[in-house]
Amino acid sequence: MPQYNEYNVSIDGKSPLFNYRPYRAAGPAGAFKAWTLPNSNLVRSRRCRAVTMVVEIPFPQNTSFTTDAEAATVQLQWIGTAVTLHGTTNASSGFEVIRSWSNEVLTGNSTDGEAGVLFQEDDLAYGSYTLALTVSKGPVTVSGAEIITGMGLLG
C-alpha cells in the first residue's frame, strides 16, 4: 500500500463535501425546516472582470449553516485519516453522530453557545469515510471541518 504526504485541509460549511438535509436555504422561505445562513449578506455577490468574462464571487463573510429542525442531518464525505467538525450549539441543543467506520452512535456535546468542536477523531486508516450529524434539538450550527488527507507519494 503506498504512503502519502499528509495535509491538514480546512473545509468551510458551504463546501460541496457537506450534504445538508432536508436542504439549505439562503432566505426566510422554508427556513423553519432547513439549514439556513445566519448572515443574509452572503446572498450578495461582487463582480470581478477577467478579460471578457464576468465571474460571480460570493462574499466570504460567513460560511456556516444553522438549523432548529428536529431530525435535520448533515453529512461530510472525505478521504483521509482524521476529521474535526466545528460548530456551535446551546446548552439545551442535542445531536447524534454516526460514523461510517463504526456501528456506535455517539451523543454530541454542547459548546454552550461558543464556537467549538462538535466531533473529532484521529488515527483512522487512510480511506474513504462519511460522518453524519443528526439534530435532536436545535439550534445547531455547522461552520466547517478540518480533515487530514494524503496526496502524492512520499519522497
Side-chain angles (χ1 to χ4, degrees):
M1 181 161 115
Q3 296 290 316
Y4 299 100
N5 290 309
E6 288 188 341
Y7 293 91
N8 186 348
V9 179
S10 295
I11 304 164
D12 70 42
K14 294 189 320 179
S15 168
L17 295 176
F18 284 104
N19 183 6
Y20 294 88
R21 299 277 182 199
Y23 53 88
R24 300 183 207 198
F32 297 114
K33 297 184 278 185
W35 291 87
T36 58
L37 293 168
N39 184 346
S40 61
N41 290 333
L42 253 181
V43 179
R44 290 191 335 229
S45 62
R46 55 188 157 134
R47 292 165 119 17
C48 294
R49 292 210 178 265
V51 189
T52 57
M53 291 183 352
V54 175
V55 180
E56 295 287 328
I57 301 173
F59 280 74
Q61 296 171 350
N62 193 331
T63 60
S64 60
F65 282 88
T66 300
T67 190
D68 280 313
E70 191 173 316
T73 63
V74 59
Q75 287 186 341
L76 172 64
Q77 295 179 321
W78 84 100
I79 296 173
T81 61
V83 62
T84 303
L85 184 64
H86 296 277
T88 308
T89 62
N90 290 341
S92 63
S93 300
F95 63 92
E96 294 178 338
V97 174
I98 300 171
R99 304 161 296 164
S100 63
W101 61 95
S102 173
N103 292 328
E104 184 181 3
V105 177
L106 303 174
T107 301
N109 296 320
S110 169
T111 65
D112 290 329
E114 300 291 326
V117 174
L118 300 177
F119 176 81
Q120 182 174 10
E121 183 134 358
D122 301 317
D123 299 324
L124 298 169
Y126 186 80
S128 178
Y129 297 102
T130 302
L131 177 72
L133 180 148
T134 301
V135 176
S136 54
K137 183 176 181 189
V140 173
T141 299
V142 173
S143 55
E146 292 176 3
I147 61 170
I148 295 180
T149 189
M151 295 171 54
L153 296 177
L154 286 175

